[in-house]
Amino acid sequence: MSEHDDTSKTLGPNTQLVRAGHDPFAYHGFVNPPVVHASTVLFPDAATMEKHGQPYTYATRGTPTSDALCNAINELEGSAGTILVPSGLAAVTIAFLAYLSPGDHALVVDSVYGNVRHFCDSMLARFGVEVDYYDPSIGAGIEAHFKANTRLVHTESPGSNSFEVQDIKAIAEVAHRHGAIVTMDNTWATPLYFKPLDFGVDVSIQASTKYPAGHADILMGTISANAKHWKRLKQANGALGICGAPEDAYQVLRGLRTMGVRLDRHQASALEIATWLEGRSDVARVLYPALPSFPGHDIWKRDFKGASGVFSFVLAVADGQDFKRKAQAFLDGLSLFGLGYSWGGFTSLALEVDLSDRRILSALKEGPVIRLQIGFEDVADLKADLETGFERARQA
Ligand SMILES: Cc1ncc(COP(=O)(O)O)c(C=O)c1O
């Protein structure tokens, strides 16, 4: 848990990534911070203990390792304070627990990460919080969904698996007029490609599991609040006792140093493959905000500085063909693309997306939706692998 005091940002994004969060001369000149394994922190005397008169008091409240990462995230997000939690999912659920109370109403985007929907429909419902799902393309029209007890609007842009781009600024303006807090899951873009707080978001959430960690070996989440909402987040963190582990915090900070160059590569390869897919007759359409043909492209172009390496496409299916068989044949034809969840690592991944839990989505029914995470393999090899998948799908 860490608060941020320096909000002046003049450095470029990659310079920021290299320097953020740790001053080597605060620790004997070593370039990286120490991995502090701790529960107990000793006080020199009873008076200091009585008034908690030193920077660290107990490891659930922060260590030099967790602070190095939180400070780095604060610099990137422009936030007043950040907390670390053990997964990206926990980052969303803990933000909801921090700001919602029984009797409140929350508006959650219909294209939200599926496990967040499950949390809303199960635990939030049990705790007496009412949730309505809204159309990701709604923009300022969200006003019609506000009730007297609407306290929170959750955004995720682009949306999970279907990649709808939201007009965050328009939504935040309406939410603030109604006294509601705006949270955003910004995992896809990272603060390098979209800065939520600059668009009116109050609390920015990242699954550091993905691009910040970058190697498919760490689970972690960060929640970063602006000055107005930081105190409540900090209190929730202290009350719940949920914190990030030191080795994981270290690895995420290490990952941040190279995140800019990794994202550049994800983006370049993803764009090349998405464009190639779009030209194929066995693809009905490609869902990637960086493609001019994508319905949310204009908002993406206006608000984002880049596109990351995850997108979906719809496999073309002839009348009467079985979607499931076609999708599975395609996936089983792949060998470089692994079949697995998550994204943001170095290896390419593929899966069939299940959009059946969507309340609003009516499009995308023309064929199975396949999500790809484009890793660091050579694009020519990835295309050849996908070609094999299409050939298998044709035979199915
Ligand atoms: C957009 C988004 N947010 C949050 C998460 C959850 O992250 P984690 O796997 O660390 O719980 C995911 C996971 O896929 C995700 O896609």
Side-chain angles (χ1 to χ4, degrees):
M1 179 167 64
S2 173
E3 292 168 58
H4 188 47
D5 43 17
D6 173 22
T7 49
S8 61
K9 273 178 222 66
T10 49
L11 300 171
N14 286 296
T15 314
Q16 255 187 322
L17 281 175
V18 166
R19 299 172 60 90
H22 173 57
D23 172 10
F25 295 102
Y27 195 75
H28 309 294
F30 290 104
V31 170
N32 292 294
V35 181
V36 175
H37 288 270
S39 53
T40 301
V41 182
L42 296 177
F43 298 86
D45 51 54
T48 311
M49 188 176 200
E50 176 67 22
K51 56 179 179 346
H52 278 184
Q54 62 187 31
Y56 298 105
T57 55
Y58 191 64
T60 53
R61 310 281 163 141
T63 67
T65 315
S66 64
D67 271 3
L69 176 56
C70 290
N71 290 339
I73 300 293
N74 283 331
E75 283 179 47
L76 299 171
E77 299 271 11
S79 47
T82 290
I83 67 170
L84 304 182
V85 297
S87 71
L89 176 58
V92 185
T93 60
I94 290 164
F96 287 4
L97 291 177
Y99 296 107
L100 287 167
S101 305
D104 286 352
H105 171 243
L107 287 168
V108 173
V109 66
D110 194 46
S111 48
V112 71
Y113 171 53
N115 289 315
V116 172
R117 184 192 300 276
H118 176 66
F119 174 76
C120 293
D121 295 345
S122 56
M123 290 193 75
L124 275 191
R126 186 151 59 78
F127 292 151
V129 175
E130 185 197 354
V131 172
D132 279 323
Y133 296 96
Y134 65 89
D135 187 327
S137 66
I138 202 163
I142 198 167
E143 183 124 36
H145 294 282
F146 272 79
K147 299 182 179 184
N149 59 341
T150 306
R151 298 277 174 269
L152 185 145
V153 177
H154 182 64
T155 61
E156 181 185 327
S157 181
S160 272
N161 299 329
S162 42
F163 300 92
E164 298 91 337
V165 184
Q166 292 192 254
D167 190 339
I168 298 294
K169 202 169 192 163
I171 289 171
E173 271 168 23
V174 174
H176 291 155
R177 221 174 328 109
H178 287 264
I181 184 169
V182 181
T183 56
M184 179 172 184
D185 182 337
N186 188 42
T187 301
W188 184 86
T190 84
L192 229 59
Y193 288 166
F194 184 84
K195 281 202 193 299
L197 271 57
D198 290 353
F199 289 80
V201 169
D202 300 296
V203 177
S204 174
I205 293 160
Q206 278 191 82
S208 335
T209 307
K210 321 291 178 198
Y211 293 116
H215 292 76
D217 53 357
I218 300 288
L219 286 165
M220 183 164 268
T222 58
I223 318 174
S224 304
N226 62 14
K228 186 172 174 198
H229 296 284
W230 165 235
K231 194 171 161 203
R232 182 132 170 191
L233 182 63
K234 188 178 173 178
Q235 279 168 349
N237 188 220
L240 289 164
I242 293 170
C243 45
E247 296 287 353
D248 296 346
Y250 178 86
Q251 291 293 349
V252 171
L253 187 64
R254 192 178 197 259
L256 279 184
R257 306 307 184 200
T258 58
M259 191 173 77
V261 286
R262 286 188 285 108
L263 275 172
D264 283 350
R265 166 79 179 198
H266 281 298
Q267 171 167 238
S269 299
L271 188 58
E272 192 177 335
I273 290 172
T275 307
W276 173 74
L277 287 173
E278 197 167 41
R280 298 183 63 96
S281 58
D282 35 20
V283 171
R285 57 172 141 159
V286 182
L287 311 171
Y288 188 42
L291 290 178
S293 60
F294 188 68
H297 177 74
D298 289 348
I299 299 180
W300 171 79
K301 206 168 165 193
R302 184 191 71 189
D303 295 347
F304 286 66
K305 292 197 167 67
S308 64
V310 193
F311 66 88
S312 295
F313 70 91
V314 184
L315 257 180
V317 170
D319 274 355
Q321 269 187 324
D322 182 321
F323 282 21
K324 185 62 62 190
R325 248 184 84 201
K326 189 115 179 156
Q328 290 192 347
F330 173 81
L331 293 172
D332 287 342
L334 304 174
S335 52
L336 290 179
F337 283 83
L339 307 187
Y341 297 105
S342 202
W343 37 275
F346 50 85
T347 180
S348 290
L349 299 170
L351 51 75
E352 187 189 359
V353 160
D354 178 10
L355 298 171
S356 61
D357 62 352
R358 296 291 173 88
R359 313 279 203 276
I360 294 155
L361 189 84
S362 53
L364 304 182
K365 297 272 164 77
E366 70 252 62
V369 181
I370 306 289
R371 189 183 79 187
L372 300 178
Q373 123 90 8
I374 305 299
F376 300 145
E377 302 89 343
D378 292 302
V379 167
D381 294 336
L382 292 178
K383 283 183 182 169
D385 203 37
L386 292 167
E387 197 74 71
T388 314
F390 285 121
E391 184 50 41
R392 283 271 205 110
R394 266 195 296 277
Q395 290 164 10

